[in-house]
Amino acid sequence: LNVEFQEPHRLWRLRYLQFNFELPERATVDGEPHARRQESWLQAMRAVPEYDAEALGVLPGSRGIVFTGSDAMVRHLLIALDFLREAGCTLPIEFVYVGDQVPSSLLNRLRSSNVTLVNMAERVKHFNVGLQEWVWGAAKISAILYSSFEQVLFLDPDNLVVRDPTFLFETRRFREHGAVFWPDYMLRPTNFSMWDFFLVPASQRPPAVGAAGAAEAGLPVRELEFESGQVLVDKRRVWAALKIGEHIASEGRYFFKHFLGDKESLHWGFRATRTPFFLVPHYLDAVGVVTASRKDWDVPLVGPAPSAVGDGSLAAVVSSQELPPGAHFCGLAMLQHDYYDGDEAASAAAAAFEPRPLFMHGNGVKYMFMRPARFMQTLHPFQAGRTYEESATGRRLRIGRNGAVPACSGIATSGGGGPCNVRYAYLNNPNGLFHCFDVDGGAEATGNGTLRVRTWDFAAATPGLNERFARVYSHLFP
């Protein structure tokens, strides 16, 4: 992973991104053999109780949206609530929290916003986690399990809907699988022996990279990680997978040394229990700003009028679809899309389907709350979009079954540079306020024509979104 640092106090990010992807047979973590930990999850799987809606306090067939988080995330949640209701979403909403992690003043504020509160402190008190594991989402799967809804759309508090997501519960893919996930930018590392640790049979692993026979030759498998800022599940149908995912997350001090938090706990819970799922086949976009600098205050937007800071105009960039010299894309949000829901046998219709934006997970914007939001006065955060396309067809990059991608697709792995010199990089803190990311395409980086990165005017495509974000933010936090 190509990670750039310019400030010593940001070095924690390096530790955050370095995982031990190998599980040697005799290796130990904190003095405990891996074999013993493997037997622990096997015992947990044998002990998974039957799904009992009445005992859980769940109304069969009920649907709703679930959030979780600490006190620091409630401010994001209040903005997310405004976006949901503005989009016309009328689904009931629950906030599932852990005991005294959220003060009563914030809980009362959520109550006044018609949010039902669920305290799961007793459910997670046995978790073997520390502060960092909580930050990495150790309790997220538990929030899904112990909400009062049977069918759950889980959203991170910093996830802003672009339109009403209620229709997802009625889609064929959800009815068929009982679980819908969205992809992350990165591939799982090629040397990931968790496949063996969780006893996943070869028939249920994604296709191997390379020519026919590559799997038999022992070449590594590659697939995209989950991006768990949004998760759609029917608890009744995927109960065992969720329970094993919770078990994995509950042992975060061990497992989070090998992969990152709740998103991969979910993945391995489904893999370990052989539970089918649907992974949206469209690679995600990035949304952020185009700036002339990575670190200066009040940096101008690159466009026809560089002195007009934050005016939302990206005409110069959009006309060429490329960044001009000296410009940098600062990604602040992941843009996820809907999916083709017709007959999979209708290949022409599926190929012609153009996904529409649905969720904008602002996992970079949340850092702005750590300091005074001076940039809000001059620079809206959601101006430019970045779409990753196949150069040969000009179509959005698609992924295969369960997130498998072809060789040299232009996507980097968590363990190193991608086959087409693509990188996912943290790009410091422009304006000193928020973290920045980018995904550089193979075509831009090497000119080999495998992947094209197209920059477009997100603000123009979503009129009023930036203004609404600024207005709600200013109202909630004057």
Side-chain angles (χ1 to χ4, degrees):
L1 194 62
N2 184 350
V3 185
E4 300 183 9
F5 300 97
Q6 296 184 17
E7 301 171 289
H9 69 276
R10 297 292 170 193
L11 290 178
W12 68 271
R13 296 194 190 283
L14 184 61
R15 294 194 297 273
Y16 170 90
L17 291 164
Q18 285 185 332
F19 300 102
N20 175 15
F21 294 121
E22 290 290 355
L23 293 174
E25 290 183 3
R26 291 182 295 278
T28 64
V29 172
D30 299 332
E32 183 175 9
H34 290 299
R36 186 182 305 167
R37 187 64 64 176
Q38 185 180 57
E39 177 58 28
S40 174
W41 79 257
L42 287 169
Q43 289 180 356
M45 190 156 67
R46 290 190 288 267
V48 170
E50 292 291 326
Y51 175 75
D52 187 337
E54 183 177 357
L56 289 167
V58 171
L59 179 65
S62 57
R63 296 171 173 175
I65 296 176
V66 173
F67 293 91
T68 192
S70 65
D71 59 341
M73 297 304 291
V74 171
R75 60 188 69 189
H76 303 283
L77 172 53
L78 291 168
I79 297 177
L81 292 174
D82 185 273
F83 270 67
L84 277 166
R85 297 316 186 202
E86 176 67 17
C89 180
T90 59
L91 289 169
I93 297 173
E94 291 184 348
F95 179 68
V96 186
Y97 66 101
V98 179
D100 58 2
Q101 287 189 6
V102 183
S104 58
S105 59
L106 291 177
L107 294 177
N108 289 334
R109 194 164 187 175
L110 289 173
R111 283 193 190 96
S112 66
S113 299
N114 202 28
V115 174
T116 301
L117 306 177
V118 179
N119 186 347
M120 63 175 171
E122 286 299 309
R123 302 279 193 175
V124 300
K125 63 182 181 181
H126 66 284
F127 278 22
N128 179 25
V129 297
L131 176 60
Q132 189 59 73
E133 287 75 34
W134 286 122
V135 172
W136 286 350
K140 182 182 291 188
I141 303 174
S142 300
I144 295 173
L145 284 168
Y146 306 120
S147 70
S148 69
F149 309 125
E150 186 164 78
Q151 297 180 2
V152 172
L153 173 60
F154 177 90
L155 297 177
D156 274 354
D158 55 353
N159 197 329
L160 306 177
V161 298
V162 180
R163 52 197 173 92
D164 185 0
T166 304
F167 73 93
L168 292 172
F169 289 102
E170 298 294 342
T171 59
R172 178 186 301 194
R173 302 292 175 258
F174 179 60
R175 293 197 305 268
E176 288 177 349
H177 297 85
V180 176
F181 298 104
W182 279 260
D184 207 337
Y185 291 113
M186 304 302 294
L187 289 163
R188 291 188 183 87
T190 57
N191 60 341
F192 214 11
S193 51
M194 280 289 173
W195 292 105
D196 299 320
F197 183 83
F198 287 110
L199 307 178
V200 181
S203 62
Q204 296 189 21
R205 301 185 186 189
V209 171
E216 291 74 13
L219 295 181
V221 296
R222 307 174 69 109
E223 66 172 14
L224 288 169
E225 296 177 349
F226 287 0
E227 195 273 288
S228 58
Q230 55 287 305
V231 172
L232 183 67
V233 292
D234 183 334
K235 293 192 297 193
R236 178 182 59 82
R237 297 184 58 190
V238 299
W239 176 253
L242 293 174
K243 288 295 291 182
I244 295 305
E246 181 191 40
H247 171 78
I248 294 168
S250 75
E251 297 293 340
R253 289 188 189 275
Y254 173 84
F255 285 109
F256 292 3
K257 289 182 172 70
H258 304 288
F259 49 76
L260 181 57
D262 59 89
K263 63 180 211 162
E264 288 300 276
S265 297
L266 274 166
H267 172 262
W268 294 113
F270 274 75
R271 291 297 196 183
T273 57
R274 319 293 191 261
T275 304
F277 59 87
F278 175 72
L279 183 65
V280 174
H282 309 294
Y283 198 57
L284 64 165
D285 290 0
V287 175
V289 295
V290 177
T291 69
S293 172
R294 294 182 181 181
K295 60 184 179 180
D296 295 332
W297 282 93
D298 298 332
V299 289
L301 181 73
V302 174
S307 62
V309 178
D311 65 358
S313 174
L314 289 165
V317 175
V318 172
S319 63
S320 64
Q321 299 184 349
E322 296 180 358
L323 300 182
H328 303 284
F329 174 77
C330 170
L332 299 173
M334 301 164 143
L335 188 65
Q336 299 282 8
H337 301 76
D338 61 6
Y339 44 86
Y340 175 71
D341 200 48
D343 186 355
E344 289 185 330
S347 56
F353 177 77
E354 184 60 34
R356 296 174 59 201
L358 184 56
F359 301 109
M360 187 170 65
H361 185 189
N363 53 348
V365 176
K366 62 187 174 188
Y367 291 94
M368 75 183 189
F369 291 109
M370 297 180 180
R371 300 184 181 95
R374 176 180 172 185
F375 88 98
M376 285 293 296
Q377 303 171 12
T378 57
L379 190 63
H380 287 159
F382 310 120
Q383 296 199 31
R386 297 268 273 182
T387 298
Y388 309 95
E389 301 173 332
E390 299 172 354
S391 293
T393 64
R395 294 188 59 81
R396 179 184 305 277
L397 185 65
R398 286 180 57 89
I399 55 182
R401 178 177 61 85
N402 289 342
V405 296
C408 202
S409 66
I411 305 176
T413 69
S414 294
C420 299
N421 196 31
V422 177
R423 62 192 177 91
Y424 176 88
Y426 288 101
L427 301 179
N428 208 328
N429 291 61
N431 291 332
L433 291 169
F434 40 72
H435 103 170
C436 227
F437 65 84
D438 193 10
V439 181
D440 291 337
E444 283 190 353
T446 66
N448 61 13
T450 58
L451 184 70
R452 180 178 68 180
V453 181
R454 177 171 59 87
T455 305
W456 50 281
D457 194 335
F458 176 80
T462 56
L465 185 146
N466 278 286
E467 290 76 10
R468 181 168 190 82
F469 180 84
R471 184 169 62 253
V472 174
Y473 174 84
S474 300
H475 173 72
L476 291 172
F477 311 103

